[in-house]
Amino acid sequence: MLHLLVADGNDRAGRETHLTVCDKTSAETYAGILRALAPEARCHLVAPADADAVLPRALSECDALVLTGSTLHVEEGGPAVTRQCDLVRAALEAGLPVFGSCWGVQVAATIAGGRAARNPRGPEYGLARGIGRTQAGEGHPLLAGRPAAWDAPAIHDDAVIDPPPGSHVLADNDRLDVQAIEIRLGDGVFWGTQYHPELDLDEVAAMLRLSAQGVVEAGLCRDEAALHAYADAFRDLHHDPEGRPDLAWRLGVAAEVLVPERRRREIRNFLDHLVRPAAERQR
């Protein structure tokens, strides 16, 4: 059995806000995906932003750590950020494989000496378009199975602006230089994506609603009514992906986003290429 520690990147207020539009927390979303991809896995959830958080299982007894997205900002610092940085650093120094999307990438890059901040090229809301491998990403197992270019769910203002020394940037697009990255710290390896391979399209819709003001301020939707109509299209496509080709066409969504097995490639690759081999070596 695999034991996977799933850390929710949100503080208590962020988790409560998330639950207003979703029926589960970010950590619960990840745990569901991990159990679907690895039925032999047991997921242990923790909220490390909280001062009273206690690890449900010691790092030495876990096979991997996964860190979710968050509404926090690394550059603002504070105890809720520091506690998460400390957890990821401890996991990597202990030799654990670590995966993170969005916030998880920003935390890992920061503790390894990089910098995360507001993306000067602007946010990505809904989908990150035209992602492609860098030279370092060619043949890298994190991106195994991805085509030459792909889209993926994305909701972020912040991003990794300066990757840490010695890291390998694996994918980028015209909006962001770091869409996927490998970072090594201590004996541990971090793989992560700025985009969200864990999000289903109904969750993309929910996250768009939470970000409505930011989407409008960025000029991506004319007003909040237009944003909600856009989110509705994602929601409806999630519920009927085969019966609504009109929505897929209108949203510009293809199989890399529509098909769950393809959308979640990076998480499966993390399990297959890092977690299971490391667990076997430990046994």
Side-chain angles (χ1 to χ4, degrees), residues 7-20 24-27 46-53 67-74 76-84 103 107 210:
D8 198 308
N10 290 293
D11 60 10
R12 185 170 281 108
R15 296 194 302 276
E16 291 174 354
T17 300
H18 191 89
L19 285 169
T20 65
K24 49 186 176 281
T25 65
S26 296
V46 65
D50 298 352
D52 57 354
L67 181 58
T68 77
S70 177
T71 58
L72 298 172
H73 303 277
V74 175
E76 293 180 358
V81 173
T82 300
R83 284 189 283 267
Q84 297 191 65
W103 166 255
V107 168
L210 284 180

Side-chain angles (χ1 to χ4, degrees), residues 253-266:
V253 172
E256 290 299 299
V257 172
L258 274 178
V259 180
E261 293 78 12
R262 297 173 72 163
R263 190 169 62 247
R264 300 168 183 169
R265 285 187 194 279
E266 290 83 356

Side-chain angles (χ1 to χ4, degrees), residues 159-208:
V160 175
I161 306 304
D162 298 317
S167 63
H168 299 286
V169 176
L170 307 176
D172 59 11
N173 68 353
D174 62 0
R175 183 57 63 97
L176 185 60
D177 291 336
V178 182
Q179 287 285 1
I181 194 169
E182 176 184 286
I183 300 168
R184 293 178 179 266
L185 187 66
D187 293 325
V189 180
F190 174 89
W191 286 358
T193 60
Q194 181 56 53
Y195 50 94
H196 286 276
E198 79 279 10
L199 290 184
D200 288 338
L201 297 189
D202 60 337
E203 291 172 294
V204 173
M207 299 305 293
L208 284 169

Side-chain angles (χ1 to χ4, degrees), residues 235-256:
R235 179 202 61 201
D236 294 346
L237 185 58
H238 168 79
H239 290 299
D240 192 9
E242 295 183 0
R244 295 301 306 270
D246 60 316
L247 292 180
W249 175 81
R250 188 189 312 167
L251 294 169
V253 172
E256 290 299 299

Side-chain angles (χ1 to χ4, degrees), residues 55-138:
L55 289 182
R57 189 176 180 89
L59 289 175
S60 60
E61 298 175 346
C62 293
D63 296 298
L65 168 67
V66 174
L67 181 58
T68 77
S70 177
T71 58
L72 298 172
H73 303 277
V74 175
E75 64 178 341
E76 293 180 358
V81 173
T82 300
R83 284 189 283 267
Q84 297 191 65
C85 290
D86 290 346
L87 174 61
V88 174
R89 183 184 295 108
L92 288 170
E93 290 179 348
L96 281 186
V98 180
F99 185 88
S101 53
C102 198
W103 166 255
V105 166
Q106 296 161 29
V107 168
T110 298
I111 65 172
R115 182 173 70 94
R118 185 66 58 91
N119 182 12
R121 298 184 212 167
E124 290 179 303
Y125 286 120
L127 296 172
R129 304 282 188 174
I131 304 167
R133 293 173 179 80
T134 63
Q135 184 175 355
E138 293 292 340

